[in-house]
Amino acid sequence: MRYYALTDTGKSRTENQDYVYASGDSVGILPNIFIVADGMGGHNAGDYASRIAVTTALEQIKRSDESKPVAILNEAIKKANYVLYREAQGDIAKKGMGTTFVAATISDKKLYVANVGDSRLYIASGSSICQITRDHSLVQEMLRSGRMGSFDPKRHPKRNAITRAIGAEEDVTIDFFEVANNNFEQFLLCSDGLTNMIDDNEIFAQLTGNDDAKTKASVLVSLANRNGGLDNISAIVVEPFE
């Protein structure tokens, strides 16, 4: 397994509220784990939310008694939500904080994915790219309902508004996806700071080149910055097969 994780502040922000984690080694009984979280909230609360969500989830994964990847991820994300929500209720400086969260693990010849918010996971092969996750965002809900009109989704004034986040409410609804690992050659986890700056065709072109995972992730982040870098940018490129 080859992989590389990268996060960048971008050109317009002064702090990085994204947090990434990547391990090709076991965490608990999960044989590997990859996570991107994109925090929200002022006064460093977004930075705190993404970091605490990921570290809390990882600690829960390590101690989990569950045996199935989906159950382990579900338990971990709900624990992270509980911790963030309780802190936000008790600290006025953290009120309104939250974070997106997309996580993936390869186990038993399947890719298991968990998602809250609008950070994404794509799978890619030599012939196609496919977004596996479904954005929990106002813009995507408008697109799905036909209410977008003539607006360009990437330039809509509400393009950063999400409809689900870890820590935003007492309970969190998590989407889960499973993909057989013979259906793709690599996958990408990323924050919207990447996908708002680069379209899927450009992502596909970079992922299916001959470069290694480190170069692919670095080029994707560089392209997002070259196209404006309006937000924090995170990318984890994973090539599961030797």
Side-chain angles (χ1 to χ4, degrees):
M1 176 179 285
R2 296 181 293 266
Y3 60 91
Y4 192 75
L6 182 62
T7 187
D8 187 88
T9 303
K11 289 188 171 182
S12 297
R13 301 297 177 93
T14 58
E15 63 180 20
N16 193 346
Q17 296 188 334
D18 287 3
Y19 194 90
V20 301
Y21 181 87
S23 176
D25 298 322
S26 297
V27 176
I29 70 163
L30 294 182
N32 48 75
I33 185 72
F34 306 94
I35 305 171
V36 168
D38 178 359
M40 61 184 189
H43 307 292
N44 296 319
D47 169 73
Y48 180 86
S50 59
R51 176 170 53 86
I52 295 302
V54 173
T55 56
T56 300
L58 290 170
E59 286 303 313
Q60 184 60 43
I61 289 169
K62 291 175 185 176
R63 68 169 66 101
S64 179
D65 294 325
E66 299 287 352
S67 60
K68 302 294 186 183
V70 169
I72 294 169
L73 292 172
N74 180 65
E75 182 183 65
I77 294 170
K78 289 196 170 184
K79 177 66 173 181
N81 186 76
Y82 172 82
V83 168
L84 285 187
Y85 182 76
R86 288 289 299 270
E87 288 204 35
Q89 300 310 299
D91 185 346
I92 190 65
K94 295 185 176 75
K95 186 174 178 61
M97 74 172 174
T99 183
T100 71
F101 197 98
V102 59
T105 183
I106 290 272
S107 179
D108 297 325
K109 298 183 178 180
K110 283 187 178 180
L111 173 65
Y112 295 91
V113 183
N115 184 58
V116 178
D118 63 354
S119 293
R120 294 179 179 178
L121 184 140
Y122 292 88
I123 61 170
S125 65
S127 59
S128 65
I129 186 170
C130 178
Q131 180 183 337
I132 298 300
T133 52
R134 180 171 173 165
D135 294 355
H136 306 135
S137 69
L138 182 61
V139 163
Q140 287 301 313
E141 288 189 2
M142 292 172 70
L143 281 169
R144 287 192 284 266
S145 66
R147 294 183 288 118
M148 179 58 66
S150 60
F151 272 110
D152 178 350
K154 292 183 182 295
R155 290 174 173 78
H156 194 281
K158 297 289 187 179
R159 63 185 178 276
N160 293 322
I162 58 176
T163 55
R164 278 190 224 172
I166 293 179
E169 298 181 1
E170 188 171 6
D171 296 311
V172 63
T173 301
I174 309 160
D175 285 355
F176 294 97
F177 308 88
E178 296 180 20
V179 185
N181 69 11
N182 59 353
N183 288 340
F184 61 94
E185 296 168 4
Q186 57 195 307
F187 59 91
L188 166 72
L189 298 88
C190 57
S191 62
D192 69 340
L194 184 78
T195 53
N196 283 337
M197 296 290 103
I198 308 175
D199 65 29
D200 288 5
N201 290 331
E202 287 182 290
I203 293 173
F204 176 65
Q206 296 305 319
L207 289 179
T208 53
N210 294 322
D211 294 324
D212 59 19
K214 179 178 180 179
T215 302
K216 290 175 183 177
S218 300
V219 170
L220 285 169
V221 171
S222 295
L223 282 173
N225 272 320
R226 189 182 308 165
N227 290 344
L230 299 180
D231 200 352
N232 307 145
I233 309 158
S234 294
I236 304 176
V237 175
V238 184
E239 300 169 336
F241 318 113
E242 296 294 341

